Amino acid sequence: MSKNPDRQFDFADMQDFDAARIEGVKRWVAENLGGSVIAIKRLARWRPLWKVQYRDKNNDERAVLVRGDRPISTLFSLEHEMLVTQALEANGVKVPHVHGWSDFPKAYVIDWVETGGDRDPGMIYTAIDTPTGMDPDRWQAMMAYMEGLARIHTIPVTEFKGIEWYLEPKTADEVALNIIERQYQFGIDNGLNDQVLACIMSWLRRNVPKHRTQASFVTGDAGQFMSRGAEVAAYVDFEIAHIGDIHWDLACFRGRHPYENMGDIPALYRHYEKASGTKLDLPVINYHTASFLLFAAIAAKAFMEPDARDSNWIEGVFEYLSCARRALESIAELEGITLDHDLHLPAPNADFFADTGLQKLVIDIERLPLADAFADWERGILGAIPKYQLNYARYGSWLTAETIKDISRVTGKPHDSLAAAETAIMGVIEKADPKLDAELIRIMHRRTLRLSMLTAGTDPTDSNPFFVKLEPILK
């Protein structure tokens, strides 16, 4: 059950719900900014976002961004992100000014940052067809961002005492595990964790960088900013900002790339070192790459909540698989584990009724009329669900059989069902035996790679961004 307060407003029709939100936005602008709305545009994102243009009391045209709440339960509330943004502005960081809070729609309102174009939505499903580029201006802005990030990391943690889950870690375990332990518990509480995620978490707990005891404010999902030419126009998106290790932020660049093109990541690291005067620890970045991607994978499964308005189920699938698979690849790089990428789909298991029924659903979704509350991009992500289910009907039995076979090799005995195999392998994971790490990492990686192949309907290929391997950083 979702904890989203917007659920208290019972709208049977999405069009009515969207219209009520638009009226709420207009009312907020009038009451808090003294403005008259002239245009509202919904942006294609994980969450409800509206660009709102209005005329102020002097009849000058202005714009704000209304950042709505994610339609699913999350570790951090929307208020947390607003408080972090305000704290950063108070410390001289170039962030959009916060104008205030809206109860309905649940949102906070910030200045619109004009850059001459819409920022990439950062969604894997979208990036497959429309990959992002890196022009010379954006690259220079990236370098400037690294300088700003280095300055952000020097802000005293006590400046953020008002944020959620505030902690001043004292030990290496607290620095490394503070936020991922909370997210993992969130996954347990909401029935999201599985054997793959448990395997990654077990490894993280047993391999904490014991020499890292310095706690700093970290943005949580670094690399997100608005640029204007070669300059940083604004630092944005602090949904998972927390107190931890600066190497978490540096790991984010690997996690986001190539779905959001981050350019030459080693060059970014070198520039950060120059700007900060701090020598980065690449193995620690690798550790936090696995941690960051585990955090994101759990969040992605939360985003697949079926009854949540505005949720993007298919993006949740792509995000979960990409993040979990690449977290395992980061661990493999650290541990020197060789992974098997040479996997192939079998001939499809065609079934007349499943094939024709799901194809009919795909075709009819494409025929649905568009509306203010149902944009073309929303129709596209809805139509992707039966396409996924069609692939599952064709390859699901193969995935199950291969998973059981892999698990049986580790447990040393056959299992008559996937449920029985999963119970058995969870018991192995919970023993936390380092001697089994390599084999567990391999079979979990094969499982996520096979499910990725099923999702895409193809063998792994470097031409598809979905299958791009995590770029190594260790020599």
Side-chain angles (χ1 to χ4, degrees), residues 139-149 151 230-232 235 271:
W139 176 246
Q140 289 305 310
M142 286 288 296
M143 301 294 269
Y145 174 89
M146 302 306 289
E147 296 167 13
L149 183 64
R151 288 193 295 272
E231 298 180 352
V232 174
Y235 297 80
H271 196 69

Side-chain angles (χ1 to χ4, degrees), residues 125 311-315 318 357-368 370 374-391 455:
Y125 180 72
S311 68
N312 187 340
W313 188 91
I314 195 65
E315 176 64 19
F318 277 85
L358 289 167
Q359 287 179 38
K360 173 64 174 171
L361 190 56
V362 170
I363 291 167
D364 282 355
I365 287 174
E366 291 173 351
R367 292 170 175 161
L368 290 174
L370 302 178
F374 190 56
D376 184 55
W377 65 269
E378 292 174 296
R379 183 172 62 182
I381 63 175
L382 181 63
I385 296 175
K387 292 178 182 177
Y388 169 88
Q389 295 297 342
L390 183 58
N391 282 340
T455 302

Side-chain angles (χ1 to χ4, degrees), residues 407-415:
I407 291 173
S408 294
R409 279 198 291 268
V410 175
T411 61
K413 59 182 180 181
H415 303 284

